[in-house]
Amino acid sequence: MDRGYLTTLSWVLALVILAALSVAGQDSGWTVPRTPWGHPDLMGTYTNKTITPVQRPVELADREFLTKEESVRLEQERIERNRRLDEAQAERTVAGGVATRRAHERSDGSTTGYYNNFWLDWGTTSTGRTSLIVDPPNGRLPQVTPEFARHGARRREQILARGVPKNDWTVTGNGLADSWLDFQLNDRCIVWSAGPPMLPGPYNNTYMIFQTPDYVAILVEMIHDVRIIPLDGRPHIPSRLRQYLGDMRGRWEGDTLVVETTNIRRTEGEGGAQGNDEIETRASNGRTDDTLRIVERFTRVNASTINYRFTIDDPSHWTRPFSGEFPFRRTNERLFEFACHEGNYSVPNTLSGARAEEERASALRSPSR
């Protein structure tokens, strides 16, 4: 048989197969839905909860994905762990410490403030990746800059100079209780996991997305935040003006919503000063210029999933930009009000307790009259 004929036949067969695959894709019946004004429709209620860690365990090196078997095993282990903790007998916890019984098993279910495992809702599903961070390739945060490390060291020296022992940095996270500014933002009921980036937390990982031709709004279940994102091309506000959620600007790139955030307010409170923020985005760098820029991408990939990707660029904090990626999955769960009362009770109580301790210490140092 003629070799040219065989080659032609091979190409014909390949085209037939590709055409069949294309028809199969069309028969699936799903295309990106549109709003009445033509934008991709992202509206709905979603959750981003997952058992996938923010950073890849060191022992997994450059392994980006889990095997199917590994994902199933991890998910089953989480289900079994939740069952075990939910059925565990009640035990009293101690302020500033963890319960001693099986503490290694209950490290996120027995500290004061968590009450018990019932309140936690990380979910039981894996993204299939070994980390939420996808760049750098090792799935871990890049190193901090020498400048940022020096600022952190100076901050710790200032705390120690005020007589706060390292083992007593448990109340506000940085050992100080001089004013409300020493508390984390979530302790003050200001902001928690609203982002950017919008990372999953221990509970309340539910979001509602609303759209108009000129705005996208994201209602966050944790605390009370609503992210208002204009789409009209307006410039960012002056860099001297900082906001806790930053200054957001959105645009469409094809079917992807791109949100750029600048002007994020820093704070000298504990680490990220946001609570459960492993990335510590809002940690102060000791500077007054605006060095932090976060870009988020929302892409509807099927009827029930938005692919969420973020890139953080802050040359005063990290030695290189880095990115994370994970799904927001549509959910039928309802969004409930989060009545954050820490700012009403724990902050004044902690401050008054600190003043009482200072008075007692002063009395012990003063000579008896």
Side-chain angles (χ1 to χ4, degrees), residues 3-15:
R3 180 174 297 178
Y5 173 78
L6 288 175
T7 302
T8 301
L9 180 61
S10 299
W11 276 105
V12 170
L13 289 173
L15 291 173

Side-chain angles (χ1 to χ4, degrees), residues 103-215:
H104 66 287
E105 295 182 22
R106 306 189 63 179
S107 59
D108 61 350
S110 61
T111 56
T112 300
Y114 278 114
Y115 310 106
N116 54 47
N117 192 65
F118 170 82
W119 297 94
L120 303 179
D121 189 24
W122 290 100
T124 58
T125 59
S126 167
T127 65
R129 296 181 183 270
T130 53
S131 62
L132 300 185
I133 292 178
V134 297
D135 181 54
N138 66 359
R140 299 189 64 81
L141 292 172
Q143 291 184 335
V144 300
T145 64
E147 175 189 23
F148 187 87
R150 285 192 297 269
H151 175 73
R154 285 194 300 270
R155 177 69 172 167
R156 289 188 291 273
E157 290 172 0
Q158 292 170 358
I159 295 172
L160 291 172
R162 301 173 72 168
V164 181
K166 286 185 177 180
N167 60 3
D168 197 29
W169 294 13
T170 55
V171 176
T172 63
N174 61 21
L176 299 179
D178 284 348
S179 80
W180 62 90
L181 296 176
D182 290 320
F183 289 77
Q184 297 181 41
L185 297 182
N186 63 311
D187 285 332
R188 297 161 59 193
C189 298
I190 294 177
V191 65
W192 196 328
S193 55
M198 298 193 299
L199 297 174
Y203 49 83
N204 291 356
N205 295 301
T206 311
Y207 303 78
M208 292 183 71
I209 299 179
F210 305 87
Q211 292 175 250
T212 73
D214 300 316
Y215 292 90

Side-chain angles (χ1 to χ4, degrees), residues 103-356:
H104 66 287
E105 295 182 22
R106 306 189 63 179
S107 59
D108 61 350
S110 61
T111 56
T112 300
Y114 278 114
Y115 310 106
N116 54 47
N117 192 65
F118 170 82
W119 297 94
L120 303 179
D121 189 24
W122 290 100
T124 58
T125 59
S126 167
T127 65
R129 296 181 183 270
T130 53
S131 62
L132 300 185
I133 292 178
V134 297
D135 181 54
N138 66 359
R140 299 189 64 81
L141 292 172
Q143 291 184 335
V144 300
T145 64
E147 175 189 23
F148 187 87
R150 285 192 297 269
H151 175 73
R154 285 194 300 270
R155 177 69 172 167
R156 289 188 291 273
E157 290 172 0
Q158 292 170 358
I159 295 172
L160 291 172
R162 301 173 72 168
V164 181
K166 286 185 177 180
N167 60 3
D168 197 29
W169 294 13
T170 55
V171 176
T172 63
N174 61 21
L176 299 179
D178 284 348
S179 80
W180 62 90
L181 296 176
D182 290 320
F183 289 77
Q184 297 181 41
L185 297 182
N186 63 311
D187 285 332
R188 297 161 59 193
C189 298
I190 294 177
V191 65
W192 196 328
S193 55
M198 298 193 299
L199 297 174
Y203 49 83
N204 291 356
N205 295 301
T206 311
Y207 303 78
M208 292 183 71
I209 299 179
F210 305 87
Q211 292 175 250
T212 73
D214 300 316
Y215 292 90
V216 172
I218 304 176
L219 172 61
V220 184
E221 185 175 25
M222 184 65 85
I223 299 188
H224 49 227
D225 294 300
V226 182
R227 301 182 62 191
I228 306 295
I229 305 164
L231 305 173
D232 56 8
R234 69 185 67 178
H236 283 287
I237 60 177
S239 61
R240 69 179 182 277
L241 302 177
R242 305 296 177 84
Q243 303 178 129
Y244 283 118
L245 296 184
D247 186 49
M248 294 164 278
R249 298 290 181 267
R251 65 181 184 275
W252 291 99
E253 292 184 358
D255 290 339
T256 297
L257 172 66
V258 180
V259 180
E260 179 184 63
T261 303
T262 60
N263 302 69
I264 295 176
R265 181 172 178 174
R266 310 276 192 168
T267 176
E268 283 283 14
E270 178 273 335
Q274 190 175 338
N276 295 286
D277 178 9
E278 188 172 346
I279 292 180
E280 298 189 346
T281 309
R282 290 171 170 80
S284 177
N285 58 3
R287 293 168 53 163
T288 58
D289 54 330
D290 188 11
T291 61
L292 175 59
R293 175 176 176 268
I294 301 177
V295 176
E296 302 164 281
R297 296 177 179 272
F298 301 77
T299 307
R300 185 90 176 265
V301 293
N302 58 42
S304 60
T305 310
I306 291 175
N307 186 68
Y308 174 72
R309 184 181 179 94
F310 66 87
T311 298
I312 298 177
D313 186 6
D314 185 358
S316 74
H317 190 160
W318 293 283
T319 53
R320 57 158 289 178
F322 61 95
S323 301
E325 185 174 338
F326 49 93
F328 274 58
R329 298 184 176 94
R330 191 176 285 273
T331 179
N332 292 324
E333 295 181 9
R334 297 172 63 187
L335 203 77
F336 291 94
E337 176 191 10
F338 185 78
C340 185
H341 281 292
E342 285 82 351
N344 296 329
Y345 298 105
S346 67
V347 172
N349 289 345
T350 301
L351 292 176
S352 61
R355 301 295 79 76

